[in-house]
Amino acid sequence: MSIRLTQIFGSVLLTLSEPRPDDAPLKPSSEAVPHDLIELLFFAYRDFVGDPDRILADYGFGRAHHRVLHFVQRCPGLTIAELLDILQITKQSLNRVLKELVEKGYIEQRTGRQDKRQRHLHTTAAGQDLALRLVRLQAKRINRALEGVGPEAAAIAARYLSALIDPSERPKVERLLMKP
């Protein structure tokens, strides 16, 4: 049994491994469970959404409200069908959250110009202010983390996160990311 040192996000982890020839490449086992990465992802997500959660609580909102507000701010004019496709939630769940955001004056629904059955979603001035306040918090956390791991880290992190997305969903996500 040998000990291998691995550096992840500035921390050194000790990994026990079976002896191998010095020239053999390290290959991940399909049965290996990367507990350290799984747990780091849980903790990173907890803290990434924790900052906005505290602010949203003051408004009586939760994470579902945050997601809706984020994507409506990011893509003005988004239809309800498009938002359902992005969030992959039930229409019932979206209706409850959207109703609250509309009633409290953070999102407005506009009738489609070409198809009067469609409702296009837009943030109000208050919705835009709140959405930008939340995204600034998250951007600050991301930028601080990237500063600590080097200039190439953003591209590597983007490729890694993209690879975590289900392959069938990647084209949709890429189109969304290309929107101004």
Side-chain angles (χ1 to χ4, degrees):
M1 189 73 63
S2 66
I3 297 177
R4 182 170 48 100
L5 296 176
T6 307
Q7 186 169 6
I8 297 180
F9 302 112
S11 301
V12 176
L13 303 171
L14 297 176
T15 306
L16 296 176
S17 60
E18 292 299 320
R20 61 181 188 80
D22 288 338
D23 60 343
L26 289 174
K27 293 183 182 177
S29 166
S30 62
E31 296 178 18
V33 178
H35 289 289
D36 50 346
L37 290 178
I38 291 170
E39 290 163 3
L40 284 169
L41 190 56
F42 276 119
F43 292 123
Y45 177 74
R46 176 199 67 191
D47 293 347
F48 179 71
V49 297
D51 297 330
D53 283 352
R54 287 183 281 285
I55 291 170
L56 289 163
D58 294 340
Y59 294 82
F61 295 154
R63 289 182 186 164
H65 297 86
H66 183 194
R67 288 189 294 269
V68 169
L69 197 56
H70 175 83
F71 285 105
V72 172
Q73 168 62 29
R74 176 96 164 78
C75 307
L78 195 66
T79 66
I80 290 176
E82 291 168 329
L83 186 57
L84 285 168
D85 189 44
I86 289 168
L87 299 177
Q88 295 191 350
I89 59 174
T90 66
K91 194 171 186 178
Q92 183 179 1
S93 295
L94 177 60
N95 284 340
R96 179 189 59 78
V97 170
L98 193 55
K99 181 180 177 190
E100 288 181 70
L101 288 166
V102 169
E103 286 176 355
K104 292 185 177 183
Y106 293 93
I107 289 182
E108 63 183 15
Q109 300 181 63
R110 299 179 191 162
T111 303
R113 291 182 182 173
Q114 288 143 355
D115 185 344
K116 301 290 184 197
R117 296 170 296 174
Q118 284 187 332
R119 290 182 288 164
H120 294 269
L121 306 172
H122 298 267
T123 53
T124 62
Q128 183 174 359
D129 289 346
L130 179 56
L132 292 175
R133 182 176 174 201
L134 300 174
V135 81
R136 283 186 195 111
L137 273 175
Q138 291 180 313
K140 184 177 176 181
R141 180 175 289 277
I142 288 171
N143 288 331
R144 190 172 55 240
L146 290 173
E147 286 171 7
V149 292
E152 73 289 345
I156 293 168
R159 284 195 312 269
Y160 174 75
L161 291 171
S162 181
L164 286 175
I165 298 168
D166 189 287
S168 66
E169 290 292 308
R170 287 183 200 149
K172 178 176 31 174
V173 172
E174 288 171 8
R175 283 191 303 275
L176 181 66
L177 293 175
M178 294 174 86
K179 290 189 177 190

